[in-house]
Amino acid sequence: MTNYQILHNTRWITKDIPLDILEKIAVSIDSGKDCEIIRSGYFKKVLKYTHNQASFYIKQYTTRHFRDAIKSVFSLSKARKEWNKSHELLKNHMLTAEPVAVGEKRHFGILKDCYIISKAIPNTLSVKELLLAIQQSPSGYNPSQKNLLVKNLISYVKTMHDCGIFHGELHAENILVNPNNTTIFYLLDLGRAQFTKKLPLSWRIQELSRLAYSIIDTCTNEEIKELITNYTNQLSKSKDREIFHKAVFKEVSGIKRRLWNSRTKKCLKDNNVFKLTTHNNYAINMRNEWNVNTLLALIDKHTLSLKKRLDTIIKVSPKIGITRVSVSNESIKSVCIKEYRYPTLLKRFLFFLCGSPARKAWLAAHGLIALNLRTPKPIALFEEKKFARIEKSFIIMEDISACLPCNKYVSERFRNPCDAITFRRKKRFISYLAHSFRQLHDSNVYHADLKANNIMIMELPDTWNIFYLDLDRVCFDKTITLKKKIKNLSQLNASLPNCITYTDRLRFYRAYTGAESLDSENKRILQAIIQLSLHRKHVWNPKIQIPQVSQIN
């Protein structure tokens, strides 16, 4: 039964929610107390309110600007649209969070804020959370569990589309699933949903490409291809299936490029996250939460450390100087400062025109973060410019001194081959490192100097965090050629110590390619990696005879 209430200058439409609970929620929204903040933005908030054993989610939308305020006089609010779409979805026998109240706060008919309250769905995770949990499971990677989830997910999406339901913002965080029964799904965020008799093919491609993009960091390209194949199984002609495949992947590439460009280039502009400023001869790109004078003081400490040869120095050479500098801050204890030096006048002039290595590293770091790849969080970029040339540059970044370089990590952790626990952990680590490498290349990222000491390992109880360093030679290509992949793999292979055995290296390659057995093409690639690794003459010095191509199984 639908009821109408006015509480705290807000007009409410309610269904199946006691008035006393609504009153408490309204008071909590106004006071900001007794509510857990799930997400907070300028114009949208998500709150959670718990009363006894019942929990409710509250979405609050705030009118952005004058144009939206005028439009609100003649159109439904976002909360009211979502309320209507949620009830229509339930009528179509599809599950969603049950909406129990919708409220609008208006002044002379102009909308100020609107709210929708929904019941929390117990024993559920978002599809994205469950995929991550499977990927990072203590018992190891479980392909069958993941495959079943993805298969059920695409079957659910296909059913939804066949019913004429277009979500509008379909991604893995807008779909909840019961981990104990992966056939039960719930759709969230229905504000842009549309209901038709028959869904156009272009809408299906748009929905599927958004969903595929949202799981690209938890599924391989082969798994995503399989997902699309399962969706298109009912298409009669193989040619139609092939065209659909190409259309979806083209749209995924477009989404990836658009989002990557917008997120990455934010670090070069003034916005709510970054600030551009100048100080004396410095051109500065920095995060808003930091103060310029604080950062300048850190650079002074860095310079003093290098001058006095203090023990905070991490690395020093004619071209770079890296130090660890302590910070008097509650949230962060220390930062790492990397100084780029330009010895010749020609380079100073060229880098002024074409962009310095420091600026390339600053941009590349945000590019990796936008692709959900780990690198020390960049805080600020300082470039000292004089008379059409760059004298020197500084990047201030998160300190990850708790991590170890990959070559040092494996030497310390896996030097005892006879210990069964160490052996099993090494096996898991090799697979995890290969998955990270695969993710890097699948994201079309090429690092021109991907040696083991440029990969930092943070050990966690059941998994690892892998960070990439030295980003001034990182490229974001449209495709990574086989030659570049072989070069990267040989760089890592040559720089890993002998405690990573030949069997471990084969295991890494199999995990990287996803191949259980090696065909003739893979054998040729593997032989090329071995030969290039030996030619590099870094750390790896195999004490056994390297098998020929025909001997590799």
Side-chain angles (χ1 to χ4, degrees), residues 407 410-411 451-452 486 489-506 525-547 552:
N407 52 337
V410 297
S411 294
K451 300 191 294 288
I486 289 172
L489 291 166
S490 66
Q491 285 171 335
L492 178 65
N493 188 51
S495 55
L496 286 174
N498 288 328
C499 63
I500 301 298
T501 65
Y502 189 74
T503 303
D504 293 328
R505 294 165 199 266
L506 280 176
I525 293 169
L526 197 54
Q527 194 68 36
I529 293 168
I530 293 168
Q531 289 171 356
L532 191 55
S533 300
L534 294 173
H535 181 70
R536 298 183 72 86
K537 296 180 181 178
H538 283 320
V539 178
W540 187 43
N541 182 22
K543 297 176 181 178
I544 62 170
Q545 184 180 358
I546 300 300
I552 301 173

Side-chain angles (χ1 to χ4, degrees), residues 278-284 382-387 389 391-392:
T278 58
H279 188 279
N280 294 336
N281 293 323
Y282 286 117
I284 305 168
F382 282 68
E383 292 191 301
E384 187 179 354
K385 297 181 178 181
K386 292 180 182 178
F387 307 113
R389 66 180 188 269
E391 295 294 325
K392 53 188 172 182

Side-chain angles (χ1 to χ4, degrees), residues 228-285:
I228 300 168
T229 299
N230 289 336
Y231 185 93
T232 58
N233 273 343
Q234 293 183 7
L235 293 176
S236 56
K237 297 179 181 178
S238 60
K239 187 177 179 181
D240 292 340
R241 289 196 292 270
E242 187 179 341
I243 292 170
F244 192 87
H245 264 259
K246 287 181 178 178
V248 171
F249 273 100
K250 184 179 179 181
E251 186 68 22
V252 169
S253 297
I255 293 170
K256 187 189 297 185
R257 183 58 55 179
R258 288 194 301 273
L259 289 177
W260 182 84
N261 274 324
S262 64
R263 290 173 183 173
T264 303
K265 290 180 180 178
K266 280 184 77 174
C267 70
L268 301 176
K269 301 174 183 177
D270 269 315
N271 47 59
N272 61 328
V273 179
F274 298 97
K275 177 167 61 179
L276 305 185
T277 187
T278 58
H279 188 279
N280 294 336
N281 293 323
Y282 286 117
I284 305 168
N285 298 64

Side-chain angles (χ1 to χ4, degrees), residues 224-440:
I224 291 174
K225 285 177 184 175
E226 183 66 25
L227 176 142
I228 300 168
T229 299
N230 289 336
Y231 185 93
T232 58
N233 273 343
Q234 293 183 7
L235 293 176
S236 56
K237 297 179 181 178
S238 60
K239 187 177 179 181
D240 292 340
R241 289 196 292 270
E242 187 179 341
I243 292 170
F244 192 87
H245 264 259
K246 287 181 178 178
V248 171
F249 273 100
K250 184 179 179 181
E251 186 68 22
V252 169
S253 297
I255 293 170
K256 187 189 297 185
R257 183 58 55 179
R258 288 194 301 273
L259 289 177
W260 182 84
N261 274 324
S262 64
R263 290 173 183 173
T264 303
K265 290 180 180 178
K266 280 184 77 174
C267 70
L268 301 176
K269 301 174 183 177
D270 269 315
N271 47 59
N272 61 328
V273 179
F274 298 97
K275 177 167 61 179
L276 305 185
T277 187
T278 58
H279 188 279
N280 294 336
N281 293 323
Y282 286 117
I284 305 168
N285 298 64
M286 58 180 285
R287 291 186 171 270
N288 279 335
E289 63 267 24
W290 286 82
N291 179 274
V292 173
N293 292 325
T294 303
L295 295 172
L296 285 167
L298 295 176
I299 290 175
D300 289 340
K301 286 184 181 179
H302 159 85
T303 306
L304 186 64
S305 295
L306 292 174
K307 187 177 180 180
K308 293 190 173 182
R309 301 284 179 178
L310 300 179
D311 57 3
T312 54
I313 295 174
I314 298 171
K315 183 178 180 181
V316 65
S317 73
K319 292 184 178 180
I320 63 165
I322 307 174
T323 65
R324 187 179 302 111
V325 180
S326 60
V327 181
S328 54
N329 188 304
E330 291 183 2
S331 60
I332 187 167
K333 293 182 179 179
S334 62
V335 296
C336 183
I337 300 181
K338 183 172 183 178
E339 177 183 348
Y340 291 79
R341 302 162 179 167
Y342 313 118
T344 65
L345 187 62
L346 178 61
K347 283 191 174 180
R348 293 176 194 175
F349 176 70
L350 287 175
F351 291 152
F352 179 85
L353 294 176
C354 305
S356 67
R359 180 165 288 271
K360 290 175 183 176
W362 170 259
L363 190 65
H366 290 96
L368 290 183
I369 291 168
L371 292 169
N372 296 318
L373 293 162
R374 288 189 175 89
T375 189
K377 182 182 176 181
I379 296 167
L381 167 67
F382 282 68
E383 292 191 301
E384 187 179 354
K385 297 181 178 181
K386 292 180 182 178
F387 307 113
R389 66 180 188 269
I390 295 181
E391 295 294 325
K392 53 188 172 182
S393 309
F394 301 89
I395 287 187
I396 304 173
M397 67 193 89
E398 170 191 15
D399 177 28
I400 56 168
S401 55
C403 304
L404 287 174
C406 185
N407 52 337
K408 189 175 180 182
Y409 176 82
V410 297
S411 294
E412 291 186 5
R413 296 294 191 275
F414 307 131
R415 60 189 170 194
N416 183 6
C418 300
D419 183 71
I421 296 174
T422 301
F423 174 78
R424 287 195 297 270
R425 189 159 180 82
K426 180 171 72 166
K427 190 175 177 181
R428 282 187 55 221
F429 172 76
I430 292 294
S431 296
Y432 195 87
L433 182 62
H435 178 269
S436 179
F437 240 71
R438 175 67 176 268
Q439 185 186 353
L440 193 75

